[in-house]
Amino acid sequence: DAKTTQPPSMDCAEGRAANLPCNHSTISGNEYVYWYRQIHSQGPQYIIHGLKNNETNEMASLIITEDRKSSTLILPHATLRDTAVYYCIVRTPNQAGTALIFGKGTTLSVSS
Amino acid sequence: GAVVSQHPSWVICKSGTSVKIECRSLDFQATTMFWYRQFPKQSLMLMATSNEGSKATYEQGVEKDKFLINHASLTLSTLTVTSAHPEDSSFYICSVGGGGSYNEQFFGPGTRLTVL
């Protein structure tokens, strides 16, 4: 799986958009970008994934650059409950039998 | 996605005792489950991959005789911490692989183990 690089921490004001970057310059053609988050003392939660097109669901939007070397997870209106560690992971989707490997992620702190 | 439960959510035990943690896939038949451990202020570390009906595969540095994993059915995997010591105190999390349309992993809520 390709390596990813994320800033260790970010702050965001409640109600504002939180934009979390991820660099994955060695991503290969068949690898997807997955985002998970972990709220304190809970198990990680799947957020969204994408290959090359921008994606949106009820939780977030994922913007992937045209060269696919980086992406941004966008929480459009951050709330206090979005305070968590966010993990960007690159892998192929046909890997149900292999575990996710977590880096250090980005700790997002949302404040009022 | 798959719904995963863990039991207990927290446990306190005396040093030298054994503790069993259950991981259940409630709505998905999981051929493969994963066990992670997380120490305070650290990321999740994969301990082992549990395959239904066969022996688990342990990551380097994880003692298979200390952390016994049983995956006897497609909905249940158990992790037994044998002869627990204070250094085994941690947050243990299981996950199910392949539960989503793009093989996303889904995680249990975790079990907090404190060994006195």
Side-chain angles (χ1 to χ4, degrees), chain B residues 58 62-69:
Chain B
Y58 291 82
V62 178
E63 300 175 57
K64 63 179 181 180
D65 294 329
K66 180 172 184 60
F67 298 98
L68 301 180
I69 293 174

Side-chain angles (χ1 to χ4, degrees), chain A residues 16-62:
Chain A
R16 304 296 295 270
N19 299 299
L20 293 94
C22 179
N23 285 321
H24 31 79
S25 59
T26 61
I27 191 170
S28 61
N30 62 345
E31 289 183 315
Y32 283 63
V33 180
Y34 291 80
W35 283 84
Y36 288 77
R37 73 178 182 183
Q38 185 181 24
I39 295 170
H40 182 62
S41 293
Q42 297 184 23
Q45 176 188 24
Y46 164 80
I47 301 173
I48 198 168
H49 73 276
L51 179 62
K52 57 181 179 181
N53 297 319
N54 297 339
E55 302 288 345
T56 296
N57 64 18
E58 65 278 5
M59 291 183 67
S61 295
L62 174 60

Side-chain angles (χ1 to χ4, degrees), chain A residues 2-8 21-25 35 69-71 88 105-106:
Chain A
K3 178 179 172 59
T4 63
T5 304
Q6 299 178 252
C22 179
N23 285 321
H24 31 79
S25 59
W35 283 84
K69 292 185 177 182
S70 66
S71 60
C88 169
T106 296

Side-chain angles (χ1 to χ4, degrees), chain A residues 32 34 36 38 41-44 46 49 87 91 93-103, chain B residues 32 34 36 38 42-44 46 49 91 93 97-98 102-110 112:
Chain A
Y32 283 63
Y34 291 80
Y36 288 77
Q38 185 181 24
S41 293
Q42 297 184 23
Y46 164 80
H49 73 276
Y87 298 98
R91 62 188 258 137
N94 58 340
Q95 289 184 301
T98 58
L100 289 173
I101 302 302
F102 289 83
Chain B
T32 304
F34 307 100
Y36 294 82
Q38 186 175 35
Q42 294 186 21
S43 189
L44 286 81
L46 179 66
T49 299
F91 192 50
I93 307 168
Y102 280 86
N103 288 321
E104 308 94 293
Q105 266 184 247
F106 295 93
F107 292 80
R112 175 76 58 191

Side-chain angles (χ1 to χ4, degrees), chain A residues 69-89:
Chain A
K69 292 185 177 182
S70 66
S71 60
T72 301
L73 178 74
I74 301 173
L75 307 179
H77 306 286
T79 70
L80 298 179
R81 289 176 294 179
D82 293 320
T83 292
V85 180
Y86 288 78
Y87 298 98
C88 169
I89 300 171

